[in-house]
Short mmCIF file of all heavy atoms in Angstrom, two decimals:
data_model
loop_
_atom_site.label_atom_id
_atom_site.label_comp_id
_atom_site.label_asym_id
_atom_site.label_seq_id
_atom_site.Cartn_x
_atom_site.Cartn_y
_atom_site.Cartn_z
N GLY V 8 1.30 18.86 9.00
CA GLY V 8 0.49 20.04 9.23
C GLY V 8 -0.98 19.58 9.41
O GLY V 8 -1.51 19.00 8.53
N GLY V 10 -3.59 21.64 10.35
CA GLY V 10 -4.46 22.72 10.27
C GLY V 10 -5.73 22.46 9.35
O GLY V 10 -5.95 21.25 9.12
N ILE V 11 -6.29 23.38 8.89
CA ILE V 11 -7.75 23.23 8.12
C ILE V 11 -7.37 22.38 6.76
O ILE V 11 -8.11 21.54 6.36
CB ILE V 11 -8.41 24.48 7.82
CG1 ILE V 11 -9.90 24.21 7.53
CG2 ILE V 11 -7.76 25.41 6.77
CD1 ILE V 11 -10.87 25.18 7.87
N ILE V 12 -6.20 22.65 6.05
CA ILE V 12 -5.82 21.91 5.00
C ILE V 12 -5.56 20.56 5.16
O ILE V 12 -6.22 19.54 4.75
CB ILE V 12 -4.59 22.54 4.19
CG1 ILE V 12 -4.92 24.00 3.82
CG2 ILE V 12 -4.34 21.77 2.95
CD1 ILE V 12 -3.68 24.59 3.22
N ASP V 31 1.56 16.66 13.22
CA ASP V 31 1.17 18.08 13.48
C ASP V 31 1.80 18.60 14.82
O ASP V 31 1.52 17.99 15.84
CB ASP V 31 -0.42 18.17 13.66
CG ASP V 31 -0.77 19.59 13.85
OD1 ASP V 31 -0.18 20.57 13.18
OD2 ASP V 31 -1.76 19.80 14.52
N ALA V 32 2.51 19.74 14.72
CA ALA V 32 3.16 20.36 15.85
C ALA V 32 2.23 21.07 16.71
O ALA V 32 2.54 21.32 17.98
CB ALA V 32 4.32 21.20 15.36
N LYS V 33 1.06 21.49 16.14
CA LYS V 33 -0.03 22.17 16.92
C LYS V 33 0.50 23.61 17.46
O LYS V 33 0.06 24.00 18.58
CB LYS V 33 -0.59 21.39 18.05
CG LYS V 33 -1.39 20.22 17.66
CD LYS V 33 -2.34 19.68 18.77
CE LYS V 33 -3.33 18.69 18.17
NZ LYS V 33 -3.50 17.67 19.10
N GLU V 34 1.49 24.09 16.95
CA GLU V 34 2.06 25.41 17.45
C GLU V 34 1.65 26.51 16.51
O GLU V 34 1.75 26.43 15.29
CB GLU V 34 3.57 25.37 17.53
CG GLU V 34 4.16 24.42 18.47
CD GLU V 34 5.55 24.00 18.12
OE1 GLU V 34 6.20 24.63 17.17
OE2 GLU V 34 6.00 22.99 18.70
N GLN V 36 -1.01 27.56 15.39
CA GLN V 36 -1.87 27.13 14.29
C GLN V 36 -2.90 28.24 14.03
O GLN V 36 -3.64 28.65 14.92
CB GLN V 36 -2.63 25.87 14.85
CG GLN V 36 -3.34 25.15 13.69
CD GLN V 36 -3.99 23.92 14.30
OE1 GLN V 36 -4.92 24.02 15.11
NE2 GLN V 36 -3.45 22.76 13.97
N ALA V 37 -3.08 28.65 12.79
CA ALA V 37 -3.98 29.70 12.51
C ALA V 37 -5.37 29.24 12.52
O ALA V 37 -6.34 29.92 13.07
CB ALA V 37 -3.71 30.18 10.99
N THR V 38 -5.76 27.96 12.10
CA THR V 38 -7.11 27.47 12.15
C THR V 38 -7.71 27.56 13.53
O THR V 38 -8.78 27.97 13.64
CB THR V 38 -7.15 26.02 11.63
OG1 THR V 38 -6.44 25.96 10.33
CG2 THR V 38 -8.52 25.51 11.45
N SER V 41 -8.51 31.14 14.57
CA SER V 41 -9.23 32.04 13.59
C SER V 41 -10.60 32.59 14.10
O SER V 41 -11.18 32.07 15.07
CB SER V 41 -9.39 31.22 12.39
OG SER V 41 -10.28 30.18 12.64
N ALA V 42 -10.99 33.63 13.41
CA ALA V 42 -12.26 34.34 13.70
C ALA V 42 -13.39 33.57 13.16
O ALA V 42 -14.51 33.64 13.76
CB ALA V 42 -12.29 35.70 13.13
N GLY V 43 -13.34 33.04 12.00
CA GLY V 43 -14.31 31.94 11.46
C GLY V 43 -15.22 32.62 10.42
O GLY V 43 -16.25 31.93 10.13
N ILE V 44 -14.97 33.69 9.90
CA ILE V 44 -15.89 34.31 8.89
C ILE V 44 -15.84 33.63 7.50
O ILE V 44 -14.77 33.60 6.99
CB ILE V 44 -15.69 35.91 8.74
CG1 ILE V 44 -15.69 36.54 10.06
CG2 ILE V 44 -16.70 36.48 7.72
CD1 ILE V 44 -15.37 38.01 10.05
N ARG V 169 6.63 18.23 15.95
CA ARG V 169 7.23 18.97 14.88
C ARG V 169 8.22 18.01 14.28
O ARG V 169 8.89 17.21 14.90
CB ARG V 169 7.94 20.15 15.37
CG ARG V 169 8.60 20.95 14.34
CD ARG V 169 9.05 22.33 14.70
NE ARG V 169 7.89 23.14 15.07
CZ ARG V 169 7.34 23.84 14.20
NH1 ARG V 169 7.70 23.86 12.89
NH2 ARG V 169 6.20 24.61 14.40
N VAL V 170 8.15 17.96 12.95
CA VAL V 170 9.02 16.91 12.20
C VAL V 170 9.87 17.68 11.08
O VAL V 170 9.59 18.76 10.80
CB VAL V 170 8.12 15.89 11.42
CG1 VAL V 170 7.54 14.94 12.52
CG2 VAL V 170 7.27 16.37 10.53
N PRO V 197 1.83 23.01 6.29
CA PRO V 197 2.31 23.43 7.59
C PRO V 197 2.25 25.10 7.72
O PRO V 197 2.89 25.61 8.69
CB PRO V 197 3.75 23.07 7.61
CG PRO V 197 4.20 23.42 6.14
CD PRO V 197 2.96 23.15 5.31
N SER V 200 5.34 27.61 8.34
CA SER V 200 6.46 26.78 8.53
C SER V 200 6.88 26.09 7.17
O SER V 200 7.82 25.34 7.19
CB SER V 200 6.30 25.82 9.47
OG SER V 200 6.06 26.37 10.86
N ARG V 303 -0.57 33.44 10.70
CA ARG V 303 -1.06 33.22 9.24
C ARG V 303 0.11 33.02 8.30
O ARG V 303 1.17 33.61 8.71
CB ARG V 303 -2.00 34.38 8.70
CG ARG V 303 -3.17 34.65 9.57
CD ARG V 303 -3.97 35.91 8.80
NE ARG V 303 -5.01 36.40 9.67
CZ ARG V 303 -4.80 37.47 10.44
NH1 ARG V 303 -3.63 38.04 10.69
NH2 ARG V 303 -5.85 37.86 11.17
N GLY V 329 -3.29 33.09 4.09
CA GLY V 329 -3.61 34.52 4.59
C GLY V 329 -4.88 34.52 5.38
O GLY V 329 -5.14 33.67 6.19
N SER V 330 -5.67 35.65 5.08
CA SER V 330 -6.72 35.91 6.06
C SER V 330 -7.98 35.23 5.61
O SER V 330 -9.11 35.36 6.23
CB SER V 330 -7.08 37.47 5.97
OG SER V 330 -6.07 38.17 6.45
N SER V 331 -8.07 34.46 4.51
CA SER V 331 -9.25 33.84 4.06
C SER V 331 -9.09 32.30 4.08
O SER V 331 -9.91 31.55 3.31
CB SER V 331 -9.64 34.34 2.68
OG SER V 331 -8.48 34.37 1.81
N GLY V 332 -8.20 31.72 4.97
CA GLY V 332 -7.99 30.25 4.78
C GLY V 332 -9.03 29.38 5.37
O GLY V 332 -9.11 28.23 4.85
N LEU V 333 -9.92 29.87 6.15
CA LEU V 333 -11.04 29.12 6.55
C LEU V 333 -12.01 28.84 5.36
O LEU V 333 -12.84 27.89 5.36
CB LEU V 333 -11.77 29.74 7.68
CG LEU V 333 -11.20 29.60 9.11
CD1 LEU V 333 -12.19 29.84 10.13
CD2 LEU V 333 -10.37 28.30 9.41
N THR V 334 -12.02 29.96 4.52
CA THR V 334 -12.95 29.82 3.43
C THR V 334 -12.42 28.89 2.31
O THR V 334 -13.11 28.10 1.71
CB THR V 334 -13.17 31.23 2.88
OG1 THR V 334 -13.42 32.17 3.95
CG2 THR V 334 -14.22 31.37 1.79
C1 FAD B 1 -6.48 35.65 14.29
C2 FAD B 1 -6.92 34.96 12.88
C3 FAD B 1 -8.17 35.22 12.46
C4 FAD B 1 -8.53 34.61 11.26
N1 FAD B 1 -9.90 34.73 10.77
C5 FAD B 1 -10.31 34.24 9.58
C6 FAD B 1 -11.58 34.39 9.13
O1 FAD B 1 -12.43 34.94 9.81
N2 FAD B 1 -11.86 33.74 7.88
C7 FAD B 1 -11.05 33.03 7.28
O2 FAD B 1 -11.53 32.49 6.08
N3 FAD B 1 -9.80 32.89 7.59
C8 FAD B 1 -9.40 33.38 8.73
N4 FAD B 1 -8.12 33.23 9.26
C9 FAD B 1 -7.07 32.56 8.33
C10 FAD B 1 -7.18 31.06 8.51
O3 FAD B 1 -7.18 30.75 9.87
C11 FAD B 1 -5.87 30.47 7.85
O4 FAD B 1 -5.61 30.95 6.62
C12 FAD B 1 -5.90 28.92 7.86
O5 FAD B 1 -6.44 28.45 9.06
C13 FAD B 1 -4.54 28.27 7.49
O6 FAD B 1 -4.72 26.93 7.55
P1 FAD B 1 -3.45 25.97 7.28
O7 FAD B 1 -4.02 24.62 7.45
O8 FAD B 1 -2.81 26.36 6.03
O9 FAD B 1 -2.43 26.29 8.45
P2 FAD B 1 -2.50 26.16 9.98
O10 FAD B 1 -3.96 26.27 10.56
O11 FAD B 1 -1.68 27.18 10.68
O12 FAD B 1 -1.97 24.66 10.34
C14 FAD B 1 -0.63 24.44 10.14
C15 FAD B 1 -0.12 23.37 11.14
O13 FAD B 1 1.08 22.80 10.76
C16 FAD B 1 1.83 22.61 11.85
N5 FAD B 1 3.26 22.49 11.59
C17 FAD B 1 4.00 23.42 10.95
N6 FAD B 1 5.25 22.97 10.86
C18 FAD B 1 5.29 21.72 11.15
C19 FAD B 1 6.32 20.71 11.15
N7 FAD B 1 7.50 20.88 10.73
N8 FAD B 1 5.94 19.50 11.57
C20 FAD B 1 4.58 19.25 12.19
N9 FAD B 1 3.67 20.16 12.07
C21 FAD B 1 3.93 21.34 11.68
C22 FAD B 1 1.51 23.78 12.85
O14 FAD B 1 1.90 23.45 14.09
C23 FAD B 1 0.01 23.87 12.55
O15 FAD B 1 -0.72 23.12 13.47
C24 FAD B 1 -7.69 33.79 10.43
C25 FAD B 1 -6.44 33.60 11.01
C26 FAD B 1 -5.96 34.25 12.11
C27 FAD B 1 -4.61 33.93 12.74
#
Side-chain angles (χ1 to χ4, degrees):
I11 200 156
I12 301 178
D31 186 33
K33 288 197 175 144
E34 294 155 14
Q36 197 178 67
T38 306
S41 62
I44 304 174
R169 181 166 292 275
V170 292
S200 296
R303 305 180 188 92
S330 299
S331 49
L333 284 201
T334 314

